[in-house]
Amino acid sequence: MVKTRFAPSPTGNLHIGGARTALFNYLFAKHNNGIFVLRIEDTDIERSKDEYTKDILDGLKWLGILWDEGPFFQRERMDLYREHAYRLLNQGLAYRCYCTPEVLEEKRKNALKEGRKPNYDRTCRDLNLKDPDRPYVIRFKTPLDGQVSFNDIVRGKITFNCEELDDLVILRSDNTPTYNFTVVVDDALMDITHIIRGDDHINNTPRQILIYNALGYKLPEFAHVPLIHGKDRTRLSKRHGATSLLEYKNEGFLPEALMNYLARLGWAYGDQEVFSKEELIEKFDLKHVGKSPAIFDMDKLSWLNSHYIKTSEENRIAGMLEGFLVKSGIEIDNREKLVPIVRNLKDRAKTLKEMAQMAEFFFSDEIIYDEKAKEKYLTHETKKILEGFLEGFVSLKENDEAGQKLLIENIVKETGKKTVDVVQPIRVALSGRTASPGIFDVINILGKKSVEKRIKRAIASIG
Ligand code: GLU
């Protein structure tokens, strides 16, 4: 039975890299009919915050990465880690270290000065000290020589010399455990079979393997996934734009676009670009995860988002569009307009936010005219066009598109102007702008009353 986990530390919002790690774990588990576990690694009490935990859970739910077990919280499992640390201590596989922070700092400085690695010099390793009155940490007894190797599913065989590894602290003097220790205890007790994570954790893996061995637990498989880089080939950061997942939600990206995009960040299936969630589950494997960093490409994400806006059910997009409109303070006078608006804008809007901006004018007759548009198209010269249009329009039935077309053709004939010069003033009167969806679509989405009101208002604004 395959069992994977996503184990974020709630010391920041869920970012693109974390979401991708979660997704790979989720897809690998689902592909193998396995189980996906969520574990919040909140042992760093100062930096962990509930708001970050919430952001992580909300982000995963939004993407559609649903966990089968958890969320587990490491803070609720402290006794387990302590028990395990003392078990190693009692078996002589770990030791109490009484070196004070000041002494350690001194040793570290000297080592650096003399060009040595600033590893702990193991003063307390064989002293068997036990003094109940002084604070101590518990350190793991790393073998002094030999090697640790593992076959990484992505990277192949990786070998470390034990010499390079420190006697790491597993339990601090305040009785809190450290990451490399809790992660092993949890992964072992939760029966995790595959550890899929960022390759910034490769250096931790040999330490963790030694702890598995000392505790007598079975080793999982490891797959270290290359990090995500920006277009300039440096590690993805704020400089490259939004890095927090929910920022993309707020910018109007669809969760399926993000999921599709994240899956392709570092994994490939021939040259296929568009995948539904079901297809990802069916096709995902670790063999096709690349060894070099994936490059985050905003244009491609935008392209996928447009694709899903175009192809998703209009009703669903309309519901989301409504959320964006409400958020920008628009009162929805008539929800029936939403689906026709989506039908109209879905080929042009790259995000729901953009669609909402394009759609705002549909909802209030008190539109604000774009200054340049007003200057150019709401003038004494065009007033006659608007008056002529209004006169003909009031006697037309609702949604009589043929009648509307004829009306405009007649104005063109009477005034001797070009069609665009007749249409543009009407467009500005109705939408406030020079660019909008097709004029007849605008007229019919707005409805007869609203069109009349807007034309009258534009005429009045000319004075
Ligand atoms: N809490 C660790 C992190 O967020 C987990 C690393 C791991 O997957 O082992 O980096």
Side-chain angles (χ1 to χ4, degrees):
M1 169 66 103
V2 165
K3 206 166 174 189
T4 64
R5 49 57 162 191
F6 178 48
S9 306
T11 53
N13 288 331
L14 179 62
H15 53 84
I16 290 289
R20 200 250 332 230
T21 301
L23 180 62
F24 280 16
N25 278 287
Y26 172 81
L27 293 175
F28 186 73
K30 296 293 133 185
H31 177 83
N32 291 291
N33 294 314
I35 289 176
F36 172 64
V37 177
L38 177 61
R39 184 174 72 229
I40 304 294
E41 303 207 319
D42 55 354
T43 51
D44 184 337
I45 290 169
E46 257 162 46
R47 292 173 58 224
S48 298
K49 296 218 165 76
D50 289 346
E51 67 190 82
Y52 296 136
T53 299
K54 182 175 181 323
D55 184 272
I56 293 166
L57 301 187
D58 288 351
L60 293 175
K61 282 188 219 156
W62 176 68
L63 263 187
I65 300 182
L66 303 179
W67 48 95
D68 304 300
E69 289 181 13
F72 297 103
F73 291 86
Q74 287 193 323
R75 226 180 273 181
E76 293 166 8
R77 300 165 59 84
M78 290 296 198
D79 288 346
L80 269 175
Y81 313 127
R82 288 175 193 138
E83 262 167 51
H84 278 77
Y86 279 92
R87 183 165 119 202
L88 291 184
L89 184 69
N90 293 336
Q91 292 173 329
L93 299 170
Y95 59 96
R96 290 187 179 84
C97 168
Y98 288 89
C99 296
T100 61
E102 296 75 33
V103 168
L104 291 173
E105 182 54 22
E106 188 68 31
K107 288 180 178 176
R108 209 182 66 87
K109 273 194 202 142
N110 286 339
L112 287 175
K113 218 186 284 166
E114 290 158 23
R116 286 182 287 120
K117 268 202 163 186
N119 284 355
Y120 175 56
D121 66 1
R122 298 176 159 135
T123 305
C124 298
R125 181 170 167 122
D126 298 311
L127 297 182
N128 256 320
L129 295 173
K130 195 173 176 183
D131 178 346
D133 297 328
R134 276 193 300 152
Y136 61 87
V137 301
I138 296 184
R139 285 185 188 270
F140 181 69
K141 268 190 193 170
T142 299
L144 298 176
D145 46 34
Q147 291 185 325
V148 192
S149 281
F150 60 101
N151 274 313
D152 192 279
I153 297 176
V154 175
R155 300 296 211 91
K157 187 168 178 178
I158 302 180
T159 303
F160 287 84
N161 290 321
C162 291
E163 256 174 20
E164 297 163 27
L165 308 173
D166 219 342
D167 279 359
L168 66 105
V169 175
I170 56 176
L171 199 67
R172 300 186 190 91
S173 57
D174 64 1
N175 217 13
T176 60
T178 57
Y179 157 70
N180 276 302
F181 193 62
T182 57
V183 82
V184 171
V185 172
D186 278 344
D187 286 336
L189 295 185
M190 294 178 185
D191 295 317
I192 303 300
T193 59
H194 294 76
I195 310 275
I196 306 166
R197 61 185 171 195
D199 67 8
D200 49 339
H201 282 291
I202 285 184
N203 287 333
N204 288 323
T205 306
R207 302 169 216 274
Q208 293 173 12
I209 289 176
L210 292 172
I211 295 172
Y212 272 98
N213 293 341
L215 290 171
Y217 288 135
K218 190 169 170 270
L219 284 178
E221 301 271 350
F222 292 94
H224 286 96
V225 177
L227 297 181
I228 301 169
H229 283 184
K231 268 194 169 156
D232 59 359
R233 307 206 171 244
T234 63
R235 192 174 168 169
L236 195 67
S237 72
K238 274 267 162 244
R239 281 180 302 119
H240 300 101
T243 53
S244 139
L245 183 76
L246 287 176
E247 276 179 72
Y248 286 90
K249 178 187 183 204
N250 296 335
E251 286 301 309
F253 286 85
L254 299 184
E256 60 268 40
L258 252 303
M259 177 179 279
N260 189 153
Y261 183 68
L262 290 176
R264 285 281 291 99
L265 263 182
W267 171 79
Y269 189 84
D271 48 21
Q272 184 173 343
E273 292 291 356
V274 178
F275 296 85
S276 66
K277 182 176 179 179
E278 291 67 35
E279 240 178 317
L280 286 173
I281 290 173
E282 185 195 319
K283 292 177 171 166
F284 186 80
D285 63 349
L286 291 169
K287 264 184 243 120
H288 292 93
V289 171
K291 286 192 178 57
S292 44
I295 308 287
F296 189 80
D297 180 351
M298 197 56 211
D299 296 336
K300 206 154 140 191
L301 173 57
S302 272
W303 177 81
L304 278 169
N305 204 48
S306 307
H307 167 80
Y308 285 107
I309 288 179
K310 260 183 245 173
T311 54
S312 280
E313 244 196 84
E314 286 167 354
N315 254 319
R316 171 170 171 253
I317 302 288
M320 291 191 273
L321 174 66
E322 184 175 359
F324 277 85
L325 287 165
V326 169
K327 212 161 66 186
S328 54
I330 305 292
E331 251 178 73
I332 311 289
D333 51 354
N334 176 2
R335 301 185 65 224
E336 309 256 294
K337 281 186 204 171
L338 288 164
V339 168
I341 290 174
V342 168
R343 191 165 304 143
N344 228 277
L345 296 175
K346 66 180 186 181
D347 287 336
R348 294 195 293 143
K350 286 204 186 68
T351 64
L352 295 170
K353 195 173 170 184
E354 203 176 282
M355 189 184 274
Q357 281 158 2
M358 292 175 174
E360 277 179 11
F361 76 84
F362 282 108
F363 295 93
S364 165
D365 292 333
E366 313 286 302
I367 38 172
I368 298 159
Y369 305 113
D370 172 75
E371 238 171 79
K372 284 210 179 99
K374 177 169 165 41
E375 206 173 288
K376 190 157 175 207
Y377 291 110
L378 301 185
T379 63
H380 285 285
E381 217 196 319
T382 60
K383 196 175 172 183
K384 283 189 201 68
I385 295 174
L386 294 172
E387 284 167 347
F389 178 76
L390 183 63
E391 203 186 307
F393 187 77
V394 284
S395 56
L396 291 179
K397 287 216 179 73
E398 189 86 42
N399 291 343
D400 175 6
E401 205 172 310
Q404 294 158 13
K405 277 192 180 134
L406 199 64
L407 175 58
I408 287 182
E409 276 165 29
N410 285 339
I411 300 175
V412 169
K413 265 187 225 145
E414 275 164 30
T415 56
K417 290 193 185 295
K418 285 195 238 134
T419 308
V420 318
D421 294 325
V422 171
V423 169
Q424 281 304 73
I426 300 171
R427 188 191 300 282
V428 174
L430 298 181
S431 73
R433 350 175 164 179
T434 51
S436 76
I439 194 72
F440 301 111
D441 289 337
V442 172
I443 290 173
N444 293 317
I445 292 172
L446 285 174
K448 192 155 185 279
K449 270 209 198 94
S450 172
V451 170
E452 288 172 18
K453 249 197 222 162
R454 289 178 190 213
I455 301 284
K456 280 184 197 152
R457 193 168 167 270
I459 293 170
S461 82
I462 296 170

